[in-house]
Amino acid sequence: MSDTGIRLSRPLLLCEDNPSVPYTYNGKTYYFNSLNYYKSVVRECNANNVSVTVQMLLNWPEGHEDLINEGARVPGKLFYSWNIYSNSAREKMEAMFCYLGMVFSQKDCYVSNWILGNEVNHPSGWNYAGNMSKDIYFETYAYAFRSLYYAIRSQYANAHIFICTDNYWSPSSSRRFSARQTITYFVEHLNAIQKGLKWNLAYHACSFPLTYTRVWKGYGITNDINTPSVNIFVYYVCARLLNISTAFSSGTAWLLSVLFAFATNKIWVFESKSQGRELLQEMISFFSLRLLTGILDVIIMYVSVELLNWNDMMMKVLVNVLVIVLNYGASRLVIFKDRR
């Protein structure tokens, strides 16, 4: 299965004095582009088992500026946030979505994936919000998402509807929400409108600038980024689900996380190329030093949980922070220092 993408960045509404396809929604007739070119492309993709994704974008809609949120009607921006607070504008948006759902939900002409907007965590650039507040911005996006969701899935139930962010997972200083914040705020507002809707995430996993290639070699990866997750997960399964003792659960979690950590440290974090005797020496050193921090882990967990009755999951997280620091120092300074 291959994939292709189509960007619908022009408003589909046409002037009433030059109608193309009449479409009635809520008792009102709108006139839309026939989309014949797009239909031919989608049909060809469907016939050749190519999955089609359409990205819905709102650029400056000459003659239909009411589609843009009132606080964002500034010409010259890339793309805009929809207007859901005017009944006529909202119904016009819904009519557009329903028309698209009708056109691209045919047996020989269907779109599998729909993305609403572009990098919506960047409201000053790629999904212009103007002076909209955070809550208004995400309420607007969540409502537009629900409209697209029902317009498409009511006619093609297998379609997937996506939100779109860039690759900035953490907050930045610019006029941008982090991807994580965007997902959180979006879900909060979507659930406030209606719970239970299925959403998907499309994100731009690109480095900045695009010529910066060290990111693909794992540059900037910190030691054991996944090991704490392995450790805590295994501990939770053993201690909470299987009711095994704290000491045994911690020991089992340590063993599995160390095996995982050795592989990730050697291959990606420190890019060690050792083989044969050097590899054996690395393993012995790695497991020996990890054994010391593992014993420390078990002792702290036993004392704090079994003797002092502190919360075991809270202590497991805190102990992992301490162990990460100690393990990184040992790996950096002793085990892999001369193996690249």
Side-chain angles (χ1 to χ4, degrees):
M1 172 71 76
S2 301
D3 301 274
T4 190
I6 298 174
R7 276 190 166 189
L8 294 180
S9 58
R10 292 183 179 181
L12 299 177
L13 255 71
L14 302 179
C15 297
E16 279 72 5
D17 59 355
N18 184 28
S20 181
V21 177
Y23 182 79
T24 301
Y25 178 79
N26 279 357
K28 183 175 181 179
T29 300
Y30 300 86
Y31 296 91
F32 295 110
N33 190 304
S34 64
L35 300 176
N36 287 331
Y37 170 75
Y38 292 108
K39 287 191 285 188
S40 66
V41 171
V42 172
R43 284 195 181 98
E44 184 174 354
C45 290
N46 295 158
N48 289 280
N49 201 32
V50 175
S51 178
V52 180
T53 298
V54 167
Q55 187 172 22
M56 280 297 302
L57 303 169
L58 178 63
N59 61 355
W60 185 258
E62 194 67 42
H64 297 281
E65 292 85 354
D66 60 322
L67 286 170
I68 298 175
N69 189 283
E70 187 174 355
R73 292 175 193 166
V74 179
K77 303 300 179 180
L78 295 169
F79 305 112
Y80 295 87
S81 180
W82 296 88
N83 178 16
I84 67 166
Y85 298 104
S86 161
N87 289 336
S88 61
R90 184 176 65 251
E91 289 196 351
K92 193 184 296 185
M93 174 190 73
E94 293 170 351
M96 293 172 66
F97 292 166
C98 288
Y99 175 71
L100 287 171
M102 179 192 71
V103 171
F104 295 115
S105 297
Q106 308 302 314
K107 187 175 181 180
D108 64 338
C109 184
Y110 59 89
V111 171
S112 301
N113 306 302
W114 295 81
I115 302 173
L116 181 63
N118 182 64
E119 298 187 0
V120 297
N121 58 313
H122 203 332
S124 63
W126 294 100
N127 198 59
Y128 188 66
N131 59 10
M132 298 165 65
S133 68
K134 180 199 75 173
D135 287 333
I136 294 297
Y137 178 69
F138 284 103
E139 181 182 57
T140 297
Y141 185 71
Y143 191 97
F145 177 90
R146 188 184 72 160
S147 298
L148 181 63
Y149 180 94
Y150 279 116
I152 302 301
R153 286 177 58 88
S154 63
Q155 302 180 78
Y156 182 49
N158 291 328
H160 302 282
I161 317 300
F162 291 76
I163 67 173
C164 182
T165 71
D166 62 20
N167 61 329
Y168 285 84
W169 182 250
S170 301
S172 66
S173 58
S174 62
R175 176 78 164 87
R176 173 195 281 120
F177 298 101
S178 70
R180 182 175 183 175
Q181 289 173 325
T182 299
I183 294 171
T184 300
Y185 298 149
F186 164 73
V187 171
E188 287 177 355
H189 284 84
L190 184 64
N191 286 340
I193 298 171
Q194 182 175 348
K195 295 182 178 180
L197 300 187
K198 298 178 181 179
W199 58 273
N200 302 272
L201 175 65
Y203 72 100
H204 295 170
C206 50
S207 59
F208 181 81
L210 291 176
T211 53
Y212 183 75
T213 59
R214 291 186 69 187
V215 66
W216 302 114
K217 296 183 178 181
Y219 179 75
I221 296 177
T222 56
N223 185 55
D224 297 339
I225 190 167
N226 289 311
T227 305
S229 301
V230 174
N231 193 306
I232 294 171
F233 174 77
V234 174
Y235 175 85
Y236 177 84
V237 171
C238 292
R240 293 295 184 88
L241 301 184
L242 301 180
N243 293 318
I244 300 175
S245 68
T246 300
F248 188 87
S249 297
S250 292
T252 303
W254 170 83
L255 177 61
L256 294 181
S257 63
V258 168
L259 291 172
F260 181 86
F262 179 79
T264 55
N265 274 262
K266 176 176 175 56
I267 298 172
W268 291 297
V269 179
F270 300 104
E271 300 179 1
S272 173
K273 307 298 183 183
S274 62
Q275 297 179 352
R277 181 175 296 180
E278 287 186 344
L279 174 60
L280 180 61
Q281 182 180 345
E282 276 184 0
M283 293 182 66
I284 293 174
S285 299
F286 189 90
F287 278 84
S288 297
L289 289 170
R290 290 303 174 97
L291 179 61
L292 296 178
T293 56
I295 293 174
L296 179 64
D297 182 333
V298 173
I299 291 175
I300 294 177
M301 288 296 295
Y302 177 80
V303 172
S304 60
V305 177
E306 298 291 341
L307 302 184
L308 301 179
N309 292 318
W310 293 353
N311 183 277
D312 62 335
M313 294 307 299
M314 178 189 71
M315 287 305 303
K316 193 62 182 171
V317 172
L318 294 177
V319 170
N320 264 274
V321 173
L322 174 63
V323 169
I324 287 171
V325 174
L326 296 176
N327 285 341
Y328 181 80
S331 297
R332 183 75 177 181
L333 301 176
V334 180
I335 302 172
F336 299 106
K337 63 177 181 177
D338 296 316
R339 305 299 189 197
R340 298 190 184 191

